[in-house]
Amino acid sequence: MTDRKATLSVGDKSIELPVYSGTVGPDVIDVRGLVQEGVFTYDPGFVSTAACESAITYIDGANGVLLHRGYPIEQLADHSDYLEVCYLLLHGELPSAEENKQFHDTIKNHTMLHDQMRNFFQGFRRDAHPMAIMCGVVGALSAFYHDQMDVTSQQQREITAHRLIAKMPTIAAWCYKYSLGQPFMYPRNDLSYSENFLQMMFGVPCEEYKPNPILAKAMDKIFILHADHEQNASTSTVRLAGSTGANPYACIASGIAALWGPAHGGANEAVLDMLAEIGDESNIEKFIAKAKDKDDPFRLMGFGHRVYKNFDPRAKVMAETAHEVLTELGLENDPLLKIAQRLEKIALEDDYFVQRKLYPNVDFYSGLILKAIGIPTSMFTVIFAMSRTIGWFSHWNEMVSGDYRIGRPRQLYTGSEKRDYPNT
């Protein structure tokens, strides 16, 4: 708490508001008392509003910093695997060796889906978007675990976390298999989290699947780098849904729905669409000129970030991983890669991009990696949702573990005043 105050003048009235400081980051002004004074704040998009208190993730966009429970994302990507990061986000501390093993074993024991879940998949058209299927199936999990959804129970919340972390790769891979008309592949407990995901995506029952360790490592890094990103649109959606007391599966489904929007989860797919539009290295200068022309609708996708006004700290990790994957697969001369490498060089050297800090972001590289592995663009956001589930759940868990109120944003009403119904 604090004894500092901010003073707001409204007409001839002065209102004193408390000022709080977090561990790091900007101070916040507590405006909750304004409603008693008959005024609200106006903040479309909530870009200047702290709607919650959280100890999970911190972003300093001006300096390119992303911390999970205090640990820089670069260090976690170098030293942890995805499940260790899940444990950190969920519990607040890195696990001991024994805790880490137990957590990995627990997740492996929850990877299978109830056999009746197959019926949910079969209810969709084969050409349905995988995100539509994932949103429906995750919401349907509440029908299978309705007896263990007491949000006030820490034990039941932890079991739910284990189920979601474990089952999301199975659900994601089955979305892909269903679109192909291929048999569903069941999870294998002898494989790591990322290896298991790849075998469920690309394995078939008629032969043994042997995961490529380079590709499995790349998938694990993609999972880590997308695990959480503070109070973004989908996380805020999960929190808002959770504030009503809704069950956690419904809340996660609401996050998936929010992530589906192209302004949120579709950025790496947009990068590949842009590279395909450019088509050839010989066209790059023309498209660079279009990008610089403020009257031209063309935009370079994968450069700059709404949050990071400097560099995206995840991008360096993804860049190194992209080169490892493309070298492993012998795709160094892939036409799209050549275009991407040239754009990357221009963005890092051209004054126009440097002055505006339009550096390549994580989406610029992740799309190239997923495409090289053989994952279709329709699955990109599904993999994003799978990775982000732990972040969504951690924020939901943090909220319901403490005192919280149902979300109820206000509005600036600009419609008609009260009027009488006309006589007829």
Side-chain angles (χ1 to χ4, degrees), residues 116-386:
Q116 282 185 261
M117 293 295 290
R118 300 170 68 94
N119 298 331
F120 282 86
F121 286 89
Q122 292 165 0
F124 290 94
R125 287 170 52 115
R126 291 284 180 180
D127 60 353
H129 196 287
M131 282 294 280
I133 300 175
M134 173 175 263
C135 190
V137 171
V138 171
L141 287 173
S142 59
F144 289 84
Y145 304 112
H146 54 83
D147 58 330
Q148 291 182 321
M149 290 192 301
D150 179 2
V151 300
T152 65
S153 167
Q154 180 180 351
Q155 181 184 21
Q156 289 191 24
R157 292 198 306 270
E158 188 167 356
I159 292 171
T160 302
H162 296 160
R163 285 176 174 153
L164 280 166
I165 296 167
K167 297 180 192 306
M168 287 300 279
T170 309
I171 293 171
W174 282 22
C175 288
Y176 176 61
K177 286 296 193 184
Y178 185 72
S179 70
L180 297 179
Q182 290 186 0
F184 294 143
M185 293 295 291
Y186 286 97
R188 281 172 43 189
N189 289 350
D190 61 315
L191 298 177
S192 71
Y193 193 83
S194 56
E195 288 174 338
N196 196 30
F197 174 68
L198 289 175
Q199 79 88 15
M200 288 190 291
M201 282 283 291
F202 300 117
V204 289
C206 52
E207 60 186 47
E208 182 182 1
Y209 180 83
K210 296 181 179 179
N212 182 314
I214 301 295
L215 304 189
K217 177 184 175 185
M219 286 306 310
D220 197 70
K221 288 193 184 297
I222 286 176
F223 298 158
I224 291 173
L225 296 178
H226 290 87
D228 191 46
H229 211 235
E230 210 206 77
Q231 306 305 321
N232 51 73
S234 57
T235 301
S236 299
T237 299
V238 171
R239 278 184 174 266
L240 191 60
S243 74
T244 70
N247 75 76
Y249 302 106
C251 295
I252 298 302
S254 75
I256 294 169
L259 187 69
W260 194 357
H264 190 5
N268 48 13
E269 184 174 349
V271 169
L272 289 184
D273 291 341
M274 174 199 70
L275 296 176
E277 182 181 357
I278 294 173
D280 189 87
E281 284 187 83
S282 62
N283 297 326
I284 288 179
E285 294 300 331
K286 178 179 72 174
F287 279 92
I288 290 292
K290 287 165 65 69
K292 293 179 180 180
D293 183 355
K294 65 178 190 242
D295 296 322
D296 193 300
F298 176 79
R299 293 291 180 268
L300 284 179
M301 306 304 296
F303 293 88
H305 195 281
R306 183 181 180 186
V307 172
Y308 299 109
K309 304 309 178 186
N310 199 312
F311 62 93
D312 183 340
R314 302 167 298 173
K316 182 179 178 182
V317 179
M318 274 289 87
E320 294 172 353
T321 303
H323 289 296
E324 290 176 4
V325 168
L326 293 163
T327 300
E328 171 69 15
L329 297 176
L331 297 174
E332 301 95 325
N333 295 316
D334 181 84
L336 289 187
L337 174 62
K338 290 295 185 183
I339 297 172
Q341 289 175 326
R342 180 82 180 280
L343 288 175
E344 177 187 26
K345 189 173 188 299
I346 291 171
L348 296 175
E349 296 177 356
D350 189 301
D351 287 343
Y352 177 88
F353 296 98
V354 173
Q355 290 173 6
R356 290 165 175 77
K357 298 182 178 179
L358 297 176
Y359 302 112
N361 61 36
V362 67
D363 300 306
F364 183 74
Y365 300 105
S366 62
L368 291 171
I369 295 171
L370 295 174
K371 178 181 182 295
I373 291 174
I375 295 171
T377 54
S378 62
M379 283 291 296
F380 286 5
T381 314
V382 170
I383 291 172
F384 192 164
M386 184 186 94

